[in-house]
Structure formats: C-alpha cells, structure tokens
Amino acid sequence: MNLIFLGPPGAGKGTIAAMVKEAYQIPHISTGDLFRANIKNETELGKRVKAILASGDLVPDEVTIKMVDNRLGEDDAKNGYILDGFPRTIAQADALKEMSKVDYVINFVLEREDILKRLSGRRVCKSTGRTYHILYNPPKVEGIDDETGEPLIQRDDDKEEAILNRLEVYDKSTAPLIDYYKERGLLIDLDASKSPEEVFAELKNILK
Ligand code: AMP
C-alpha cells in the first residue's frame, strides 16, 4: 500500500505515520526527517539545506525529488510506504507519478487556529524525531523523551516567524495538490482535529 500524507504542517502527519508504520509494517518516509538527519550528520546535502529549513521555505524541487527517488529505491519501500511531507509542489507530484504508483492520498484537514496551537506546543527528540505536545501529548517527565531520556527541543522552524512562513508556503505551493489529487480520484479527507488514537482509528476504517 503506497500512501501519501498531505496536509499543513502541524496536522499530525508524522504522529499518525508512526502509528501506521507500526500497524502495517511499511516504512515512514518523511522528507523533513531525511533533511534533518542530513543536517545533523553535516552531509553536503545537510549543509545546503540547513538555512532553508530554518526559514520554513521549501528545498528546491530537483534536490528533494532526487532524495525521494533514492529512498523509494531502497528494498523496504518495495511493499509499500507512507510518504509524509512529499510531494509539496505540483512539480514534485508530477515527478512522483514517474517513480511510483500512489494508492491513496490522505488529506489531513485541520483549522488554522488548531494548527498554530499544535505547532507552537510541539517538542521533539532530536535523535529519534519522536514528537510530543506540551499540552496534548506530553512526555512522562517534562522536557524529556520517554524512551531515550534525552532532552526535548523545539524545532527552529516551529518558532513563530518560521511557522507563519511555512503556512504561507503551504497555501501557495502545497494546497493546490488537494485539487490535483482530487481530480485524479485519489484524495481522501481525514478529520485531523481529534486525538491521535481517534484519527488513527478513522484512518484504519478508511483503509479497510
Ligand atoms: P516537515 O518536517 O515536513 O515540516 O519539513 C520540514 C522542512 O523540510 C520544510 O519546511 C522544508 O524546508 C523541508 N521540506 C520537507 N519536505 C519537503 C518537500 N517535499 N519539498 C521541499 N522542502 C521540503
């Protein structure tokens, strides 16, 4: 099963993708996570994209498409995948069509006010990428990852100025993909306003 998770930043795509990965045994391919791993490991790609991620702008299409093409070529993606955060532009969607057949595009639907609340309260474990929310999904011990015991951080691009830019970028470049996939009969809306467990239950129903 080849799935795309589409939706604004903060809609819970990463959280639900981790649950789907576990339940369906398919890899969770997050382009944001791949870029952040490259930045952390100080690769050439990481150096090239670091400032772009911090500002909330998009990495150029050709760079992103090449990275995804390589990742989808790996063995674990042969029997399905969840693409989280890709495609984000029409050009990326056109390129994906040439790489792989998509089964469903899950459109995470969430009000702008809720998006802002979620992004500003989000905290992550830098080494595992596991996400929490200070109010809605807090760790067992404040500021500490449940499993690794490492301190949680706020992503640079979850700070207010970058959030506003990311939402503008989403509206301009990514939201047009809703119609793109609707026209192709692949789009399924998912109400992302509920708890992760409820959203996941709803998604499982849809995928049946
Ligand atoms: P995310 O973790 O999905 O919110 O992505 C974090 C950042 O990585 C984005 O704000 C972009 O700078 C970059 N990024 C992730 N996915 C893409 C993509 N498909 N195209 C371009 N840039 C991306």
Side-chain angles (χ1 to χ4, degrees), residues 69-168:
D69 197 16
N70 287 337
R71 182 64 188 86
L72 289 180
E74 287 178 29
D75 277 350
D76 66 339
K78 298 276 187 281
N79 294 320
Y81 56 76
I82 310 143
L83 262 182
D84 161 14
F86 183 93
R88 257 175 158 100
T89 63
I90 300 277
Q92 292 179 13
D94 284 340
L96 179 61
K97 228 171 20 188
E98 306 301 316
M99 294 177 213
S100 182
K101 183 185 163 292
V102 171
D103 295 313
Y104 302 107
V105 177
I106 309 297
N107 180 33
F108 284 61
V109 180
L110 192 69
E111 297 283 340
R112 192 55 48 114
E113 200 186 315
D114 292 330
I115 294 172
L116 290 171
K117 275 191 219 152
R118 285 199 189 170
L119 287 174
S120 56
R122 177 155 75 179
R123 297 293 181 273
V124 296
C125 172
K126 209 171 175 181
S127 68
T128 64
R130 200 179 353 264
T131 59
Y132 298 86
H133 189 281
I134 50 175
L135 300 178
Y136 311 133
N137 177 27
K140 292 186 185 112
V141 178
E142 194 183 320
I144 301 290
D145 183 72
D146 289 348
E147 282 175 30
T148 64
E150 291 169 41
L152 301 177
I153 58 153
Q154 183 174 39
R155 279 167 47 171
D156 282 342
D157 60 350
D158 280 345
K159 297 182 179 148
E160 193 178 341
E161 205 182 290
I163 288 179
L164 296 177
N165 187 34
R166 286 162 73 205
L167 290 172
E168 246 179 61

Side-chain angles (χ1 to χ4, degrees), residues 17-59:
M19 297 164 104
V20 172
K21 173 187 172 182
E22 187 78 24
Y24 294 81
Q25 297 292 310
I26 51 176
H28 168 202
I29 302 175
S30 154
T31 41
D33 284 350
L34 291 175
F35 286 131
R36 281 185 288 275
N38 275 279
I39 292 170
K40 194 171 155 227
N41 296 327
E42 297 180 349
T43 66
E44 281 309 309
L45 173 64
K47 285 179 204 153
R48 184 160 174 204
V49 304
K50 187 172 181 183
I52 301 177
L53 263 83
S55 70
D57 287 338
L58 292 184
V59 173

